[in-house]
Amino acid sequence: MPTPVSEHSSNGGLSVPRSSHTDSGTSNGTATPTIAQSGSGQSWAASEATLAPERDRDSQLQSLSEQLKVEKRIKEGAENLLQMDLNDALRNEVETELATAKQKIQLIQKSLDSLSGRGVRKRSMETNGVAKRKFNGQPLRPTVEWREEGSERDDFRSSMHQANSAIKALVHLSGQHPHSHPSSSAPSPSASPSTSTLPNPATATDAELNRARIEHMAKLIGLLQRNLRVRYELDVGEVVHAVLPSLADKASKQARATAYRLIRHALVDSHSVRRLGEQNLDWYIVKTLCRDNKHAVEKEQVIKLIRTIVDIGSERHSPNSAIGSGTVPLSDAVMRALIAVAEYPEDPFKPICVQTLTEILLIDIELMARTGGIRVLLHALAEGPLEMAPLLSAAFLHIVDSPKTRAYLHPGTDFEIALSGITDAYGKGYEHQEKIKGCTGIVSSMLRTWSGLMYCCINDMAAIRVVIDCLRIPSLETREVILDMFFDLLNIKPPEWHRAFIDGRRLTMYRKSRQSADLSQPAQIPHRSQDTLKLTDQYIALLILVFSKAGLLDALTSMFEESSVGSELSRKATLLMAEILQKANRVLPLSIAARIQALPRVFSLASDYDDNEHRIVGSSALSAIDSFNRHLSRMQPPVKGDTRPRANSIEDAVRRSQRQVEQAKLKMSMQMDDKTFQTLLMETQVMLTKDHTKWNFDTLQDLIDGPLHSAKRMEEAIKVSRYIRKLMSFFHPLNHRFCDIANTKANHRWVRLGCSLLNALLASPDGIRFLQEDEFLSQLVKSFAQLDPSSPSPVQDPIFSKKRMQETLTCGYFEMLGTLSKRQEGVELLEKFKLFTAFYHLTELRSRDDLIKGIIENLDYSIDGHSRIVLSKALTSVYKPVRHYSTNFLGGLIRASHTAHAWMLRLLLTQLYDPTPEVRELAVRFLEEACESTDVLQVVVEMQPTLDHLGEVGHPLLLKFMSTPTGFRFLYAASYIDREMELWFHERNLHYVVHIEVFLAKAFSQNASEEDDDDILAFEGIVPPHFYGVMAKTELGCEVLQEKGHFSEFAHFIRCHGLESEDQEVILKLKSVLWAVGNIGATERGLPFLEEEEIIPAILEIAEQSLVLSVRGTCFFVLGLISSTPQGAEILDDYHWEATLSPLGLPTGLCVPVDVDKFVSIPRWDCVAREGVDDSRLIPPESPEENEVMTAIYNLANTVIANSASRSLTKMKSKPEYRHIFSSPSMFYRALHTISSQKYRLPVRRYIFDLFNVDLDADVVRQLSECAISLRVPFTAQEPSEPSEPSPVEAQPQPPAFRPVPVRHHVDESDEESDLEEKEVAKKKPRAPVMSLRPKSRIIGFT
């Protein structure tokens, strides 16, 4: 119960009872409804008391609003629950709660309306007295029960009132009038905040003011976080005006951090960012960024504010504009301060600043070029941190792709700075290895993209030659890292035996035991043949051409020559050369590959009889390459579908000898006499003891595999000696002998023995008769019956319990039953003993997936009958895990069979209608894989399955159906073709481009192994099926394509926009059209479309002349598609693009230019970036002392003379005649403007701030703005410039850029160079000295 306290009102001195603050939010003596709890029930009571404070009514509003939010949440949760499958009792309970919540919502809403409506007439009621009113409604719970403190957003009205109150409190703490801010356009709050609890700004200490400000700012931040609408309603200018005192130097760092955080939460859109740009916050931000690490909390918040401004306020223009052509609302002053943090290695915020600058680079490259940000990012790319390298390289590669943004880089010097980690490695030893690894990662990412590869090929491949030439330096200890980079770039995965090759060991018969062991395992047919060439192979073919032209093979040969004895490094170079030759032979045309295979320098060394050392080196290299090739050919897996043992296989002799031994043993065992047979029976010890551990297992195995396969010996073992009966009793489940053996790898031999015994029994009539009479199968049925949940007498420890299945050989019974299901006689036995009926019941058991898996895995499905029915029952089980596993198993069956049977396909088609999306996707994947075979595809199409319900998942299947005449007619009749054709023409062509470029990037990524496996499996490098390409495979599809006229529109678009270089939307559409044309031209029926429109020359022109490098890459892949047919390859050959052919002379879909230089060359360009260009001017300093100080400050930018300049400034500050300069706001502005228009390191910027005895506050910032106007040279006195329309923001006085008289020195300039430049400037400008400034249209601020 709240405790009433007495508080004296400010008017009249009356004592008004007021409750203490509690979670319930209720107050005595107010004019609002309160929740009162009685003994028998609860009721809503509304009372109106005289002279109730305004804030008590607000607290009631807030409390009721919170209760309303809670009830709405309860209502939404109940409605969501009712959509689920609930039992009747739970559903009734939820419906009751829903009805109660709706009633409470109505009552609370009426109370809110009544309370808010009385605000106007409350004052008149206060004078006449107030009658108490009661609200009679349904009883509600107490507030405490259905309110979650701090978990709900405040109601808008109460939240807006509290926000305005907090702002007014902050204004009061600053000692200003609430309406003194001229730029505030928002309506002032109607209620004034209570100032009784706020400290008096005139008498309170700074610590008390800071605490009060932080408290109110934190409260306002909480309101903004909970209620988004309040953020839109608040005026940013009013918020900034309220927090300006908290940003001053006199405030604490925690206060400044909270103020920045509040401003960040007040930004919601570009308009709010523009309003922020009018508030003159630049110098606060600049100074905060220059502070040391003791102010980390403050710097963190200001960096977050800058990132929010970039994210929300940046104008990226239209989607069809060029990359980097947007506008970031940051002034040059803030940008230079951020850049100083980003390039200072000891600052903890360097990584996030580098990341922020990278984002700005992709939005507004002009701003980055003008403020020197590009240079800083290039240095960060070369020097680290290494974790930022992928982000930076990706950003610069994106910039290089477009000619408009590429012009901001100096060709041949800027991006090549990334190679410095490799080129500077000489003499640095192994400690430099990590940096080289990071650098090679950057180079790999560059050369895996079209923009990076073609950029590195400028200046006659100078960048690539530099990296390759590093392999020629004998004393470079880190060359192995560079070799690994080439292995990775060319997608070469060294074989498992490569370590033996590098160590110099012989490769003869290597891995023989491993291969022999694999013979006993069933061969898994791969999804695709390893010889299938991919898009990545076509790119690798181009890389091999480029590297060969840049001298990679010669550099590797130089590594051979270093020592005639050979080393691990030289042998690794030999391995790389051998792999390159293998890869070239596979992906390059024969004429080009032959030139690479010639190895003229290696053969020259081998034939140099004048120098024995050269001859040894050359001969050793050729011998090693030959050994590698011979061993690789022996180790290659057999061709898919060819199960005949090859005569040249290294396992052939072993396999032949094993077969001969087995045949000889079987022949001898079948000719065994009676005495030997009886002796063999006795040696097994089965007749002497029941303890299986004392049995002679090897003899027993030989007996079952040999003599017992003879009908005569089996009859003797059954009837005469009763040997089989004793042996079979070991396997009886109820005897607890076999089924109690521990489930270990060694004990699985008893399972194999049982399977062999059942095979021997099924081989003779007496054995089958014995199984009919034996209790083995009947006991298994009884054991399965123990699992029946409806059994009248449940067993405590059933034979097939989950624990026994895991820990004992009980699981082996399913393997033995599977042996019976492989033969017709065994199937009849299983039917006779009703084991299939038991299997049906087992598939319905819940949480016994182990039994179902055991049944499905071991049954044989070659015989039509109950086995297939059991599988189909598992496929349609009510339990999702069972269906998922069964579908996976069925897919494995189809994959392992040489030809997919119709019954398998029919079952798999059934899974397409499974209620679970995961099972449907799995079935689609297996069906799509099976339909790679034309015969299987024809069978599936004839079944005419309905796939519309699958949506996008079934799209690849439908495309496969379209590739057959029957399927195309079926889909055309269903109107699928017309519908999809319109979708592809307008939308899906663009989606196809995004899909293939994303997955190509992943395939080329050096971190591809770390990506999601599902994504990598979804794209294997093969060109994904394209709707238009599939249409062109059938005659009817070509007729429809001709009738629609889409190809003519594609050809027209290519001719009109083929060389587009700026409009991103047109470029994306151009890529989509090129892929469509390429897929059509990849078919024999589609190629005539290209010939008729004569579009191939246009594609070749784009490939060689387009300024957008990614478009050239698209054309490269498209030409490879066109070369997929013999006619297409012949056409391209006329244009000097040669196709790669298979050994049988068929095209492989790979095509490369004969003149590779013409394809990868980029036209030269002039760099348009001009750092720190200023055309405006300021009035020069008035006194020689001021001019001397500014000259010294300016000289701080030159690292050569910075120390002497700092000493001069220290001396000046100590002299009386200079002291007033370091307290002057105008000189402080000149200094600030100097560091905001030129490059200064972070410690120097910090030193300049500390140099002046001026503390930033609102008054100082106002004076700085006045200096910006007073120090500006009138426009008539400036040099003529083009007039520009003043923006609305320019009406506000903003600080323009300043630049002192001395010429700007670069970091690495010498004193002599500086003097010369100053003399040259003096000659060029004989008139009166003026201060150079930025253009007039450039205003400091966020606009």
Side-chain angles (χ1 to χ4, degrees):
M1 188 70 183
T3 305
V5 296
S6 179
E7 180 181 341
H8 292 282
S9 172
S10 59
N11 55 346
L14 297 176
S15 178
V16 181
R18 182 172 64 87
S19 65
S20 61
H21 296 288
T22 61
D23 284 345
S24 62
T26 59
S27 303
N28 296 328
T30 64
T32 59
T34 59
I35 301 175
Q37 183 175 6
S38 62
S40 59
Q42 303 165 357
S43 63
W44 287 86
S47 62
E48 295 180 358
T50 59
L51 301 177
E54 184 79 15
R55 61 179 177 275
D56 290 342
R57 186 176 70 87
D58 295 336
S59 65
Q60 294 299 318
L61 276 172
Q62 179 180 355
S63 175
L64 291 175
S65 302
E66 292 172 351
Q67 297 164 11
L68 181 62
K69 291 294 182 181
V70 173
E71 289 304 322
K72 285 184 177 180
R73 289 283 295 274
I74 295 174
K75 173 177 171 290
E76 293 174 1
E79 290 173 346
N80 292 334
L81 276 175
L82 290 176
Q83 296 178 4
M84 301 174 62
D85 187 13
L86 306 175
N87 55 45
D88 295 339
L90 184 57
R91 181 172 291 276
N92 292 334
E93 184 178 352
V94 174
E95 289 175 348
T96 304
E97 290 293 331
L98 179 60
T100 305
K102 288 180 178 178
Q103 290 178 349
K104 291 177 181 178
I105 289 172
Q106 293 177 357
L107 296 175
I108 298 173
Q109 191 63 53
K110 289 180 180 178
S111 300
L112 283 171
D113 295 340
S114 174
L115 180 62
S116 59
R118 287 200 310 273
V120 178
R121 63 176 183 271
K122 182 175 178 182
R123 293 183 182 85
S124 62
M125 296 175 67
E126 287 176 352
T127 58
N128 300 328
V130 181
K132 292 185 178 181
R133 295 183 299 167
K134 288 188 177 181
F135 180 84
N136 297 322
Q138 294 293 331
L140 296 177
R141 304 177 196 168
T143 308
V144 179
E145 291 184 16
W146 41 283
R147 175 186 176 187
E148 300 176 9
E149 182 179 1
S151 64
E152 304 297 333
R153 292 182 302 172
D154 303 309
D155 176 72
F156 169 67
R157 270 188 285 248
S158 60
S159 298
M160 192 67 196
H161 181 83
Q162 294 178 46
N164 286 326
S165 300
I167 292 176
K168 284 191 171 291
L170 289 171
V171 173
H172 169 77
L173 290 172
S174 66
Q176 306 175 52
H177 192 272
H179 302 289
S180 63
H181 192 248
S183 64
S184 176
S185 60
S188 61
S190 58
S192 299
S194 175
T195 60
S196 58
T197 59
L198 295 177
N200 187 350
T203 59
T205 63
D206 290 343
E208 292 174 348
L209 289 176
N210 281 328
R211 280 196 299 269
R213 288 168 181 159
I214 291 172
E215 179 183 352
H216 284 82
M217 286 189 293
K219 179 182 178 182
L220 186 53
I221 289 170
L223 287 170
L224 296 179
Q225 287 177 328
R226 293 193 298 271
N227 200 313
L228 183 62
R229 187 177 171 187
V230 174
R231 297 170 64 180
Y232 278 94
E233 294 294 333
L234 279 182
D235 180 61
V236 175
E238 188 176 345
V239 174
V240 173
H241 174 64
V243 302
L244 273 180
S246 301
L247 294 174
D249 287 348
K250 293 181 180 180
S252 65
K253 60 183 178 183
Q254 191 64 45
R256 290 193 293 268
T258 310
Y260 286 129
R261 184 165 175 249
L262 174 58
I263 296 173
R264 171 164 59 90
H265 283 289
L267 299 178
V268 289
D269 53 16
S270 58
H271 173 72
S272 61
V273 174
R274 284 195 296 271
R275 287 282 295 142
L276 179 64
E278 302 168 4
Q279 308 307 316
N280 289 341
L281 289 183
D282 284 12
W283 301 128
Y284 293 111
I285 295 175
V286 169
K287 185 161 187 180
T288 295
L289 288 172
C290 292
R291 297 186 190 272
D292 55 22
N293 295 337
K294 296 178 183 178
H295 300 79
V297 61
E298 178 185 351
K299 292 180 70 173
E300 177 185 351
Q301 292 303 325
V302 80
I303 291 173
K304 286 183 177 180
L305 173 62
I306 292 173
R307 289 182 59 82
T308 303
I309 292 170
V310 173
D311 183 32
I312 296 176
S314 298
E315 296 181 6
R316 294 169 174 84
H317 300 304
S318 59
N320 57 354
S321 59
I323 298 297
S325 59
T327 304
V328 174
L330 291 177
S331 67
D332 287 12
V334 174
M335 280 295 296
R336 295 236 180 224
L338 187 68
I339 288 169
V341 177
E343 68 177 345
Y344 189 56
E346 299 177 10
D347 196 289
F349 295 99
K350 174 178 179 173
I352 188 62
C353 290
V354 170
Q355 183 176 341
T356 305
L357 291 175
T358 307
E359 295 167 6
I360 296 174
L361 176 70
L362 298 176
I363 302 173
D364 190 353
I365 191 172
E366 170 63 30
L367 175 63
M368 288 289 291
R370 187 174 63 250
T371 56
I374 295 179
R375 169 185 45 78
V376 172
L377 292 184
L378 286 170
H379 280 286
L381 180 64
E383 299 171 3
L386 290 178
E387 58 270 13
M388 299 296 296
L391 173 68
L392 291 169
S393 61
F396 278 110
L397 290 172
H398 198 56
I399 293 298
V400 168
D401 187 51
S402 173
K404 186 173 182 179
T405 52
R406 189 162 63 232
Y408 285 91
L409 297 176
H410 293 86
T413 56
D414 274 359
F415 208 4
E416 285 77 358
I417 196 173
L419 307 178
S420 61
I422 296 177
T423 56
D424 297 347
Y426 181 74
K428 294 187 178 180
Y430 284 105
E431 66 276 2
H432 194 66
Q433 189 165 359
E434 285 302 319
K435 185 173 183 180
I436 293 184
K437 286 183 179 179
C439 185
T440 54
I442 298 173
V443 176
S444 292
S445 64
M446 289 171 59
L447 295 178
R448 287 176 185 271
T449 61
W450 289 109
S451 52
L453 175 63
M454 294 187 180
Y455 183 89
C456 290
C457 288
I458 62 177
N459 296 334
D460 193 23
M461 306 180 184
I464 299 176
R465 292 181 188 275
V466 165
V467 176
I468 291 176
D469 286 342
C470 289
L471 295 174
R472 304 176 188 269
I473 306 175
S475 59
L476 189 59
E477 299 172 339
T478 52
R479 285 185 291 173
E480 187 174 0
V481 179
I482 303 175
L483 288 178
D484 291 335
M485 180 192 74
F486 284 108
F487 275 103
D488 182 51
L489 269 173
L490 298 175
N491 200 21
I492 297 173
K493 296 177 176 58
E496 296 179 6
W497 41 270
H498 80 284
R499 191 70 252 175
F501 182 89
I502 293 175
D503 292 341
R505 301 197 300 268
R506 292 184 61 190
L507 302 178
T508 308
M509 299 298 287
Y510 187 73
R511 279 187 65 199
K512 184 191 81 171
S513 59
R514 171 77 176 272
Q515 289 288 340
S516 300
D518 290 344
L519 292 175
S520 60
Q521 300 177 0
Q524 292 188 353
I525 300 176
H527 177 40
R528 296 190 190 276
S529 171
Q530 294 183 356
D531 293 331
T532 305
L533 294 176
K534 309 173 182 179
L535 287 178
T536 51
D537 290 319
Q538 187 171 355
Y539 189 81
I540 288 171
L542 182 63
L543 282 181
I544 293 176
L545 280 177
V546 171
F547 291 158
S548 301
K549 190 172 182 61
L552 176 59
L553 296 179
D554 285 344
L556 295 177
T557 307
S558 299
M559 297 179 71
F560 305 159
E561 297 181 60
E562 293 175 10
S563 173
S564 59
V565 179
S567 62
E568 284 196 7
L569 193 62
S570 64
R571 283 191 287 269
K572 191 166 189 176
T574 308
L575 178 64
L576 177 59
M577 180 180 285
E579 289 280 10
I580 289 175
L581 297 181
Q582 280 281 343
K583 188 79 79 171
N585 190 42
R586 182 168 170 261
V587 301
L588 286 175
L590 183 60
S591 60
I592 300 177
R595 292 198 297 269
I596 296 177
Q597 300 274 359
L599 297 177
R601 188 172 173 189
V602 178
F603 279 98
S604 175
L605 290 174
S607 59
D608 186 2
Y609 288 93
D610 297 332
D611 192 329
N612 289 334
E613 186 172 340
H614 282 181
R615 188 159 51 86
I616 293 173
V617 168
S619 301
S620 300
L622 293 175
S623 175
I625 293 173
D626 181 60
S627 173
F628 171 85
N629 291 333
R630 283 187 287 106
H631 193 69
L632 189 65
S633 62
R634 287 199 305 265
M635 304 306 293
Q636 284 180 344
V639 181
K640 177 179 178 180
D642 186 8
T643 57
R644 181 175 64 88
R646 311 303 300 176
N648 61 347
S649 174
I650 60 173
E651 295 87 20
D652 185 61
V654 178
R655 188 187 301 113
R656 200 164 44 240
S657 61
Q658 287 178 349
R659 193 183 311 115
Q660 291 174 353
V661 171
E662 291 172 0
Q663 291 175 353
K665 289 176 64 176
L666 182 61
K667 185 176 181 181
M668 291 176 59
S669 61
M670 297 294 286
Q671 297 175 354
M672 188 180 298
D673 57 8
D674 295 342
K675 185 176 181 180
T676 306
F677 179 67
Q678 291 295 331
T679 304
L680 204 59
L681 291 179
M682 296 304 295
E683 285 181 0
T684 60
Q685 304 291 320
V686 173
M687 302 292 292
L688 303 177
T689 178
K690 290 185 177 182
D691 186 0
H692 68 280
T693 59
K694 297 181 180 180
W695 292 353
N696 190 335
F697 183 85
D698 294 335
T699 306
L700 183 59
Q701 184 73 53
D702 293 339
L703 180 67
I704 293 174
D705 291 342
L708 290 183
H709 275 269
S710 170
K712 176 183 175 183
R713 297 301 181 194
M714 179 60 74
E715 180 184 4
E716 183 179 350
I718 294 174
K719 296 181 178 178
V720 179
S721 60
R722 304 175 65 85
Y723 180 85
I724 297 297
R725 188 172 300 278
K726 288 182 177 293
L727 181 58
M728 240 358 243
S729 65
F730 167 72
F731 292 99
H732 289 176
L734 299 182
N735 288 346
H736 288 277
R737 295 169 63 188
F738 169 79
C739 60
D740 286 353
I741 301 176
N743 185 6
T744 63
K745 186 175 181 180
N747 287 337
H748 268 271
R749 60 179 182 167
W750 295 104
V751 179
R752 294 192 293 271
L753 182 72
C755 295
S756 300
L757 179 59
L758 291 177
N759 273 326
L761 289 170
L762 292 175
S764 66
D766 292 310
I768 296 173
R769 197 176 304 112
F770 172 80
L771 286 175
Q772 292 174 349
E773 298 171 356
D774 192 69
E775 296 182 356
F776 173 67
L777 295 177
S778 61
Q779 287 189 15
L780 281 177
V781 174
K782 293 177 183 178
S783 301
F784 288 138
Q786 294 175 354
L787 301 173
D788 189 358
S790 61
S791 176
S793 55
V795 181
Q796 293 294 333
D797 186 21
I799 297 294
F800 288 95
S801 67
K802 183 173 288 188
K803 181 179 179 182
R804 293 176 64 87
M805 283 286 292
Q806 294 174 351
E807 298 177 358
T808 67
L809 290 184
T810 303
C811 57
Y813 283 122
F814 291 105
E815 191 172 341
M816 297 166 70
L817 292 173
T819 302
L820 291 176
S821 67
K822 293 178 181 178
R823 304 180 64 159
Q824 184 63 42
E825 298 85 355
V827 173
E828 293 174 358
L829 286 172
L830 295 176
E831 292 175 353
K832 178 180 179 180
F833 285 93
K834 299 184 178 180
L835 276 161
F836 285 117
T837 305
F839 291 162
Y840 296 147
H841 291 306
L842 290 178
T843 56
E844 298 173 356
L845 290 179
R846 188 162 193 164
S847 70
R848 288 311 305 271
D849 300 348
D850 54 338
L851 296 177
I852 301 172
K853 291 178 181 178
I855 295 170
I856 294 174
E857 284 178 351
N858 292 288
L859 281 180
D860 184 77
Y861 302 98
S862 59
I863 301 175
D864 188 12
H866 285 281
S867 297
R868 298 179 184 177
I869 298 175
V870 171
L871 178 59
S872 66
K873 189 171 177 60
L875 288 168
T876 56
S877 171
V878 294
Y879 306 118
K880 172 189 167 184
V882 175
R883 298 198 307 273
H884 191 277
Y885 174 80
S886 305
T887 306
N888 213 352
F889 178 79
L890 178 61
L893 277 182
I894 296 175
R895 182 181 294 176
S897 60
H898 296 294
T899 56
H901 301 284
W903 69 270
M904 294 181 182
L905 298 174
R906 201 170 287 110
L907 288 178
L908 191 57
L909 287 175
T910 305
Q911 298 309 100
L912 297 178
Y913 309 99
D914 191 275
T916 308
E918 292 85 353
V919 177
R920 293 199 298 269
E921 291 176 10
L922 189 64
V924 167
R925 191 165 75 240
F926 282 121
L927 193 58
E928 184 183 356
E929 179 182 333
C931 288
E932 291 290 333
S933 169
T934 308
D935 297 336
V936 173
L937 179 60
Q938 190 65 32
V939 172
V940 174
V941 169
E942 290 174 357
M943 295 179 181
Q944 295 189 353
T946 304
L947 304 177
D948 291 342
H949 66 287
L950 295 175
E952 289 297 323
V953 176
H955 184 66
L957 265 182
L958 289 170
L959 290 182
K960 284 192 177 294
F961 288 3
M962 281 178 56
S963 62
T964 64
T966 306
F968 190 91
R969 292 190 188 94
F970 170 64
L971 294 175
Y972 187 75
S975 301
Y976 170 81
I977 302 297
D978 292 336
R979 184 173 66 251
E980 281 296 307
M981 208 167 179
E982 290 301 317
L983 279 174
W984 275 84
F985 187 75
H986 295 290
E987 297 178 14
R988 288 190 173 170
N989 263 340
L990 301 176
H991 298 167
Y992 183 88
V993 176
V994 176
H995 170 82
I996 200 169
E997 288 191 352
V998 166
F999 284 112
L1000 269 175
K1002 287 187 176 182
F1004 283 125
S1005 173
Q1006 57 185 349
N1007 299 321
S1009 58
E1010 301 173 7
E1011 299 286 345
D1012 294 337
D1013 292 338
D1014 295 340
D1015 290 343
I1016 299 300
L1017 287 175
F1019 180 75
E1020 301 174 341
I1022 310 296
V1023 181
H1026 195 287
F1027 181 82
Y1028 286 101
V1030 176
M1031 276 190 70
K1033 290 183 179 180
T1034 59
E1035 186 175 352
L1036 182 58
C1038 291
E1039 293 177 4
V1040 174
L1041 184 60
Q1042 183 72 34
E1043 179 184 347
K1044 292 284 186 180
H1046 286 186
F1047 191 87
S1048 300
E1049 296 188 36
F1050 291 157
H1052 178 71
F1053 189 88
I1054 290 175
R1055 292 193 187 94
C1056 293
H1057 304 285
L1059 299 179
E1060 176 63 43
S1061 61
E1062 292 191 6
D1063 194 326
Q1064 295 298 312
E1065 189 175 350
V1066 173
I1067 290 173
L1068 180 62
K1069 188 174 181 180
L1070 175 64
K1071 291 179 181 179
S1072 70
V1073 169
L1074 286 170
W1075 278 111
V1077 170
N1079 278 277
I1080 293 173
T1083 61
E1084 293 184 358
R1085 288 188 173 92
L1087 188 62
F1089 285 93
L1090 279 71
E1091 294 182 275
E1092 181 180 348
E1093 293 285 347
E1094 297 182 353
I1095 200 64
I1096 294 180
I1099 297 176
L1100 288 166
E1101 181 185 4
I1102 298 171
E1104 295 173 352
Q1105 298 182 16
S1106 176
L1107 297 178
V1108 182
L1109 308 183
S1110 57
V1111 173
R1112 287 196 189 188
T1114 302
C1115 292
F1116 180 73
F1117 289 130
V1118 166
L1119 291 171
L1121 290 176
I1122 296 174
S1123 71
S1124 299
T1125 61
Q1127 297 86 350
E1130 186 177 346
I1131 294 173
L1132 289 175
D1133 187 59
D1134 296 337
Y1135 294 98
H1136 306 291
W1137 280 67
E1138 196 164 348
T1140 304
L1141 304 179
S1142 69
L1144 298 178
L1146 300 176
T1148 59
L1150 271 61
C1151 184
V1152 293
V1154 176
D1155 185 4
V1156 68
D1157 290 334
K1158 186 177 180 182
F1159 173 67
V1160 298
S1161 62
I1162 308 177
R1164 296 283 299 181
W1165 71 88
D1166 295 327
C1167 182
V1168 299
R1170 295 291 183 270
E1171 181 179 344
V1173 175
D1174 261 333
D1175 296 327
S1176 306
R1177 290 168 290 163
L1178 288 182
I1179 296 174
E1182 298 176 355
S1183 64
E1185 291 83 5
E1186 291 180 352
N1187 201 2
E1188 190 176 353
V1189 169
M1190 290 308 303
T1191 302
I1193 290 176
Y1194 186 79
N1195 289 338
L1196 289 173
N1198 191 329
T1199 55
V1200 177
I1201 57 177
N1203 289 334
S1204 60
S1206 64
R1207 287 193 296 268
S1208 300
L1209 286 169
T1210 305
K1211 291 178 182 178
M1212 292 178 197
K1213 190 174 181 180
S1214 63
K1215 295 179 180 180
E1217 60 270 22
Y1218 288 92
R1219 287 177 184 171
H1220 69 282
I1221 296 177
F1222 296 99
S1223 301
S1224 168
S1226 62
M1227 288 299 295
F1228 185 47
Y1229 169 73
R1230 293 180 186 272
L1232 290 179
H1233 216 287
T1234 302
I1235 66 173
S1236 299
S1237 57
Q1238 301 178 47
K1239 177 185 177 298
Y1240 281 84
R1241 295 185 301 112
L1242 186 60
V1244 177
R1245 298 171 70 89
R1246 194 176 299 151
Y1247 171 77
I1248 293 174
F1249 270 105
D1250 295 339
L1251 196 64
F1252 284 85
N1253 301 322
V1254 180
D1255 290 335
L1256 274 182
D1257 55 26
D1259 294 333
V1260 171
V1261 171
R1262 193 177 302 111
Q1263 294 178 29
L1264 293 177
S1265 299
E1266 294 171 357
C1267 291
I1269 299 174
S1270 61
L1271 295 179
R1272 181 183 302 174
V1273 176
F1275 182 75
T1276 55
Q1278 298 185 27
E1279 293 180 356
S1281 60
E1282 293 184 6
S1284 59
E1285 288 292 329
S1287 63
V1289 182
E1290 289 180 343
Q1292 297 274 347
Q1294 300 289 340
F1298 163 79
R1299 192 176 179 185
V1301 173
V1303 176
R1304 180 167 58 89
H1305 299 278
H1306 293 286
V1307 177
D1308 54 350
E1309 287 177 344
S1310 63
D1311 295 339
E1312 291 79 10
E1313 292 172 340
S1314 303
D1315 295 335
L1316 289 174
E1317 288 189 5
E1318 290 177 8
K1319 291 177 181 178
E1320 290 176 3
V1321 171
K1323 291 178 181 178
K1324 292 179 181 178
K1325 297 186 178 181
R1327 55 196 175 93
V1330 291
M1331 297 296 105
S1332 175
L1333 291 176
R1334 287 194 302 260
K1336 182 180 179 182
S1337 60
R1338 187 64 190 178
I1339 305 298
I1340 285 190
F1342 295 113
T1343 56

